[in-house]
Structure formats: C-alpha cells, structure tokens
Amino acid sequence: MHPTVEDPRAAIADHTARLLAWAAASMAPAREAARDIAERLAVSSEGGKAFRGRLLLATFDACSGTDSDAALGLAASLELFQTAALLHDDVLDGSDTRRGRPAAHRVFEHQHRAAGWHGDPEAYGRAGAILSGDVALIAAQRGATLAARRVGDLVSDLFDEMAALVTAGQHLDMRVAVSPMDDLGALESDIRTIMRAKTASYTAEFPLALGAAAAGASPATVARLRAAGIPLGLAFQLRDDVLGLTGASEVTGKPVGDDLREGKRTLLVWHAVAHGSAAQRDAVLAVLGRADATAAQIDVAVEAIAASGSLEAVERQITAHAATARSALTEALADADPVLGLIDAAVHRSA
C-alpha cells in the first residue's frame, strides 16, 4: 500500500469530489457536468489506474514529504486535468467511445435527442463536452492553487507550465493530423514533439516534479525528476500507440484502429510509411484519416504496420526509454523504489 494513505485511489477520488463540488456549486447544469466527470474518473480508477496521481504520491513519499493533504489535492488535480484533456480530445477527434463507454459529447447528444430539444443535437453534444472539460479544468486549477498555499508557489508554477505545454502539444497534434505526409523527416520530428509536449509532460514529467515540489525537495531534485519523467512519459505514449493497434477493445475501452481512422500520426504509422514496402504504405494510407474505413481495411493496415517492422522498432524504443527513466530516477532519489514500482505498470500494461 502507498505510505501516504492506505488506499491512494480512494483518497484521490475523495479530493476530486470536493474540487468538483466547488467548481460546480453555482448552477445545476454545472453539477450535471460534474456528475459525468466523476463517473468518468471512477471508471479510470478501476484496475490500477490513476497512474499520474499515484506517481505524484510515490514521488512525494520518496522525497519524504509530510503534507499529505496537499499532495493528495495535487494528485486529484492531475486526474481532473487528464479528464479535461480527454473530454476535449474526444470532441476534437470525433471519438464515439472512451474507456468502454460513450464519449461525453455522445452522451449530451443523446440527451438532446431524447428530450426533443430544439437545434442540432451534435452541436449541443460537442458544446456540452467542451464545457464539461472546462469544469474539470477549473476544478484542477483550484486544487493546484490550494496546494500552493500550503507548500509553496512552485507547485502552481509547475502546474501552469504543464497546462500550457499540453495545450501547445494538442494544437500541433491537430495540425499534423491534417497535414500532407510528404516530408517524413519533419513528420518524425513533429510526432516526437507531440509525444513530449502532449503526453510525457502530464503523464510523468510534471507528476514527478509536482510530487517532489510538494515534499519540499530542492530545485535541483525537481529538475532531475522532470528530466527523468520525459523518457518515462514517452514510453507510456508509445505503449498507448501499440495498444491502439494490437490491444483488445474490451480491455482498452476503445475500438481497435480508431487512431488510424482519426488520422493520428504515430511513430508506428511513420515507420510503416517510411520503411515499409509500397504495398504496406498504401494499406496504411488507405485508412489514415478515413472515418469510413471498414474493419477489413483496418485489419489489412494493422497487418501492414506489423509486417513493416514498426512494432518491433517501437518496442525497442519503449525498452530504451524505460531503462533511461529507471536509471535517472535511481540517481535522483535516495529511495526510488516507490516510484520504480510504477514504471512496469506504465510500460507493460494491457490497457
């Protein structure tokens, strides 16, 4: 069990509930959005999830932190921030599902249709999900502010920097997804930048840094943990990409091939296009960004990506990034075991 609390996921959930109640106290529609957010957070906490919050708490313990309430508030803020990002992502990508349940914009769309309200149900659904994401962001920022009052302004500075970096990464991801694939060198660079900014930042870099800052660690230790978090976050994202192609949809909670239909440029796609045969490239490009791609076409594209050697190439990168992170964490922390124990869960997970 986690030293900070007996059950960190339950404690994080308690703190998120408090933050959501504060953010949604003013009006009934906001409380409705908060309920949907809370349900989604509950789903994400099943089966050993809440990884970012748990990583922050493990780092807090490894740095001998004492204000566990502040650390738990920050952990809750991270989970709320991720939920906000996913709510907005699903609108941007037009995703139908998330973690095995309808995406928020589809829930709001169905509500509109069922009630027979005026206007466009799809537009209402998108607007509802965006505003729900905003409620989650407001609650997340509140948690960071409250923690900063207890343990110092560094945590709010880090949280703000994380939010700015993730937003910039999301914008680049959106632009790259609709750009021609005629400069593969630039595309690889953009993909790595997106992984660094959009995922590695709030998945590992800043959870590690925030946990250390909440514990009162030195600026040098915070900086070293940030650096260690980047390869860990990259390994996490690459595992996500692999699971998006090879994972079972009933486990991942998302249909296999959705990333291809949405036009996501991943290193798996890049490698198949850059190093695969002409037939393999054609199979991938035939479905990339095609929402109407059939299951049979997706299967052919996945087989082409695998045959091109992309999976093996990405697995090698996952192993290398995880080893780099492990070594850096061992050097940065006197007792890295609480943190190292989460790395395998992040890198070798099935969902």
Side-chain angles (χ1 to χ4, degrees):
M1 288 294 180
H2 201 288
T4 299
V5 288
E6 185 175 353
D7 185 347
R9 286 176 295 170
I12 291 170
D14 180 61
H15 278 68
T16 56
R18 289 188 231 164
L19 291 170
L20 282 170
W22 175 87
S26 58
M27 295 183 70
R31 291 192 289 275
E32 180 183 319
R35 283 194 297 272
D36 183 77
I37 294 165
E39 290 173 4
R40 292 175 189 281
L41 281 164
V43 171
S44 72
S45 296
E46 293 172 358
K49 299 295 186 180
F51 170 76
R52 294 158 183 82
R54 291 162 61 215
L55 183 61
L56 184 153
L57 294 173
T59 309
F60 174 80
D61 283 336
C63 293
S64 303
T66 57
D67 193 338
S68 59
D69 196 63
L72 285 165
L74 280 172
S77 292
L78 274 178
E79 296 304 314
L80 284 162
F81 181 85
Q82 184 205 15
T83 299
L86 296 181
L87 287 165
H88 289 165
D89 267 5
D90 287 344
V91 173
L92 292 170
D93 297 337
S95 301
D96 292 326
T97 61
R98 169 69 65 176
R99 292 170 176 156
R101 57 176 292 172
H105 62 285
R106 299 303 184 204
V107 172
F108 284 111
E109 177 186 336
H110 174 75
Q111 181 186 41
H112 185 288
R113 292 186 192 280
W117 291 336
H118 297 294
D120 182 354
E122 292 186 5
Y124 179 86
R126 291 191 295 270
I130 290 169
L131 292 169
S132 291
D134 291 345
V135 170
L137 279 176
I138 291 166
Q141 190 60 58
R142 175 66 173 175
T145 298
L146 292 175
R149 291 176 184 173
R150 300 174 66 108
V151 297
D153 289 340
L154 180 56
V155 295
S156 59
D157 292 341
L158 288 168
F159 202 89
D160 290 346
E161 185 181 351
M162 175 189 72
L165 192 57
V166 172
T167 303
Q170 177 63 72
H171 191 279
L172 179 60
D173 191 19
M174 180 180 68
R175 190 181 72 192
V176 168
V178 297
S179 298
M181 295 182 64
D182 50 6
D183 186 342
L184 292 177
L187 176 59
E188 181 187 13
S189 177
D190 282 343
I191 291 170
R192 294 188 184 280
T193 298
I194 292 165
M195 290 196 301
R196 158 72 181 89
K198 184 182 171 183
T199 304
S201 58
Y202 85 101
T203 296
E205 176 188 359
F206 285 94
L208 289 166
L210 286 164
S218 69
T221 297
V222 172
R224 291 171 72 186
L225 287 169
R226 281 190 66 171
I230 294 172
L232 176 56
L234 293 175
F236 188 99
Q237 178 59 60
L238 290 172
R239 176 58 62 205
D240 258 5
D241 293 342
V242 171
L243 290 172
L245 284 183
T246 65
S249 59
E250 62 271 17
V251 177
T252 64
K254 192 173 183 180
V256 173
D258 256 20
D259 285 351
L260 293 172
R261 290 189 178 95
E262 291 165 7
K264 287 190 180 297
R265 273 55 165 171
T266 64
L267 282 183
L268 289 165
V269 168
W270 174 85
H271 189 279
V273 174
H275 300 289
S277 67
Q280 290 162 353
R281 290 195 298 272
D282 289 345
V284 174
L285 294 177
V287 301
L288 194 64
R290 292 286 303 275
D292 60 349
T294 66
Q297 289 175 309
I298 292 294
D299 288 344
V300 171
V302 171
E303 291 173 5
I305 291 171
S308 73
S310 294
L311 288 170
E312 290 87 347
V314 166
E315 288 289 352
R316 288 193 295 270
Q317 291 190 48
I318 291 172
T319 299
H321 285 315
T324 299
R326 182 177 288 275
S327 176
L329 289 168
T330 301
E331 292 177 5
L333 297 169
D335 178 14
D337 287 345
V339 180
L340 294 177
L342 290 172
I343 290 182
D344 285 342
V347 173
H348 301 299
R349 69 192 190 284
S350 60

